[in-house]
Amino acid sequence: MAAEIVNPRSDNSAEREGGAEPLDSFDPVFALHRGGKMAVQATVPVRDKDDLSLAYTPGVAKVCTAIAEQPELVHDYTWKSSVVAVVTDGTAVLGLGDIGPEASLPVMEGKAILFKQFGGVDAVPIALACTDVDEIVETVVRLAPSFGGVNLEDISAPRCFEIERKLQERLDIPVFHDDQHGTAVVTLAALRNAARLTGKTLAELRAVISGAGAAGVAIAKMLVEAGIGDVAVADRKGVVSVDREDLTPVKREVAGFTNKAGISGSLEVALEGADVFIGVSGGTVPEEAVASMAEGAFVFAMANPNPEVHPDVAHKYAAVVATGRSDFPNQINNVLAFPGIFAGALQVRASRITEGMKIAAAEALAGVVGDDLAADYVIPSPFDERVAPAVTAAVAAAARAEGVARR
């Protein structure tokens, strides 16, 4: 029988109904989460009436008046340029699926503390009690004056594509769906280094992506933008190809810029002779299909907690193996990308995050590995202190080069 979960902030938080022990008396995960994982902290003192008159009334009126007269001053005299809204509707949370806004909050809090820990960026979790595309867009647009950027998180496909597009059209601050682009940036970085390790170029590689959701589509777009030789995307019904009549608008778009080889049929068919497998779908790929890939192939099996190809199997056939798990080498982890990407965009007050900025982030991330490159080290650890500064600087420079920086 499933354990009963109670509100940790309830008055009788030490006990649950029926006298049973609270969940955090035997589970360290619940103990860590009791009361939430973050709080608001002042950056100025309020010790006496003089401090109060500066931080609040009457002093604050001077700042408000100045911003009203020169709106751009909001970036200098409020937290706007250093804070991101982490927005979800709770429909695609980690591997848990559609669990709703309240249940998504522990993940959004976690995302917020990763922003701070790894990028020095403040973030506020916002879980919305609506799933309609236009309602979400309108809500975020109305919240936007308080924030320097918007990180969309755990919103199910295909709605996530439309939500991001509409917000980018209506806002002049960075909007970034991390499930798409963060995964794509880290994947490209790892793939660049895997190719360098084996003396190949991206143009020589044919990749197969398992999964045509948010991450799969974004990875395909970024690999094509970066110059991959060819890439095919497979969903539950097989390779996304122009001859299929059951494609959604997003998949029809994908079919238009992928699969130069004209492959049709199953994922297993596509893997024959392929140089790269990228898994972002779950499920299991048969060992025979992995064995049919090109010699010295790369296997990036990123489903959690169970990779599409177990590393023990992948290592029999692949030159480089990566997963989404922290207990195996070469973890493809979004935390390598999004803190630095936002830090760089906020640093220059970018109006949006461009493809060039994302590719710059991937190149910077790959560059951190440097001469230490090895089969079990094609991507750095999230705890490598060089990562965020490198990505931040690269993104800021790319924003200036592409004309979206405002300082």
Side-chain angles (χ1 to χ4, degrees):
M1 184 172 66
E4 178 190 354
I5 300 177
V6 297
N7 181 359
R9 294 183 184 273
S10 63
D11 292 338
N12 192 15
S13 60
E15 295 183 0
R16 293 187 296 136
E17 188 176 348
E21 288 292 316
L23 291 172
D24 55 13
S25 66
F26 56 87
D27 190 325
V29 172
F30 282 92
L32 181 143
H33 282 78
R34 179 174 287 279
K37 299 193 292 288
M38 56 186 295
V40 173
Q41 180 176 333
T43 60
V44 297
V46 184
R47 298 161 299 195
D48 52 37
K49 65 182 182 64
D50 291 333
D51 288 345
L52 183 60
S53 68
L54 290 173
Y56 199 51
T57 186
V60 74
K62 288 185 179 181
V63 180
C64 295
T65 302
I67 294 171
E69 294 172 353
Q70 300 180 60
E72 284 302 303
L73 291 178
V74 70
H75 297 285
D76 298 309
Y77 295 106
T78 73
W79 76 342
K80 181 179 174 74
S81 279
S82 61
V83 67
V84 169
V86 181
V87 179
T88 189
D89 64 357
T91 55
V93 181
L94 294 177
L96 303 174
D98 186 355
I99 60 174
E102 289 86 358
S104 76
L105 269 176
V107 177
M108 301 310 118
E109 288 183 2
K111 195 82 174 189
I113 64 176
L114 295 180
F115 264 111
K116 189 67 173 179
Q117 172 79 17
F118 294 104
V121 174
D122 289 310
V124 177
I126 299 175
L128 302 178
C130 60
T131 58
D132 178 79
V133 168
D134 290 331
E135 288 184 2
I136 292 173
V137 170
E138 292 297 331
T139 301
V140 175
V141 167
R142 284 163 171 73
L143 290 169
S146 295
F147 299 99
V150 176
N151 183 90
L152 299 174
E153 188 74 18
D154 292 349
I155 299 173
S156 63
R159 295 175 311 114
C160 60
F161 303 112
E162 187 176 5
I163 290 168
E164 183 185 50
R165 177 181 60 78
K166 287 186 172 183
L167 285 173
Q168 288 172 335
E169 290 172 353
R170 294 186 58 182
L171 298 177
D172 65 347
I173 58 175
V175 178
F176 185 85
H177 184 211
D178 186 50
D179 300 315
Q180 294 182 59
H181 311 299
T183 305
V185 165
V186 184
T187 301
L188 176 58
L191 186 57
R192 281 193 181 282
N193 275 340
R196 180 164 69 94
L197 178 70
T198 54
K200 300 174 182 177
T201 66
L202 289 182
E204 296 176 271
L205 302 177
R206 180 171 73 84
V208 177
I209 299 171
S210 175
V217 170
I219 292 169
K221 287 181 177 179
M222 183 162 286
L223 293 186
V224 170
E225 186 77 18
I228 192 86
D230 195 10
V231 56
V233 180
D235 62 12
R236 291 183 179 88
K237 296 181 180 179
V239 175
V240 174
S241 57
V242 292
D243 61 345
R244 281 179 50 180
E245 299 180 354
D246 61 343
L247 300 180
T248 64
V250 170
K251 291 179 183 178
R252 278 199 298 273
E253 180 189 355
V254 170
F257 65 82
T258 62
N259 196 19
K260 296 176 186 175
I263 299 169
S264 60
S266 67
L267 171 70
E268 289 80 6
V269 170
L271 281 175
E272 293 179 12
D275 303 290
V276 185
F277 168 75
I278 297 171
V280 284
S281 65
T284 301
V285 177
E287 182 171 347
E288 314 86 76
V290 182
S292 75
M293 295 177 68
E295 184 177 354
F298 313 143
V299 172
F300 293 0
M302 298 186 286
N304 271 316
N306 300 311
E308 294 89 348
V309 182
H310 193 280
D312 291 344
V313 173
H315 278 297
K316 294 181 183 180
Y317 312 102
V320 176
V321 177
T323 72
R325 287 174 44 160
S326 60
D327 53 345
F328 292 111
N330 295 328
Q331 184 191 20
I332 307 294
N333 191 329
N334 289 15
V335 76
L336 289 162
F338 69 81
I341 289 174
F342 268 100
L346 293 174
Q347 185 180 95
V348 297
R349 296 181 188 167
S351 58
R352 58 193 176 95
I353 294 173
T354 66
E355 290 300 313
M357 291 161 72
K358 288 180 278 186
I359 288 177
E363 292 173 347
L365 184 54
V368 170
V369 171
D371 294 337
D372 295 324
L373 181 64
D376 61 354
Y377 185 55
V378 297
I379 200 75
S381 162
F383 296 98
D384 188 323
E385 294 181 355
R386 299 171 296 171
V387 167
V391 173
T392 299
V395 168
R400 291 190 176 101
E402 299 207 336
V404 296
R406 288 177 287 197
R407 74 168 180 184

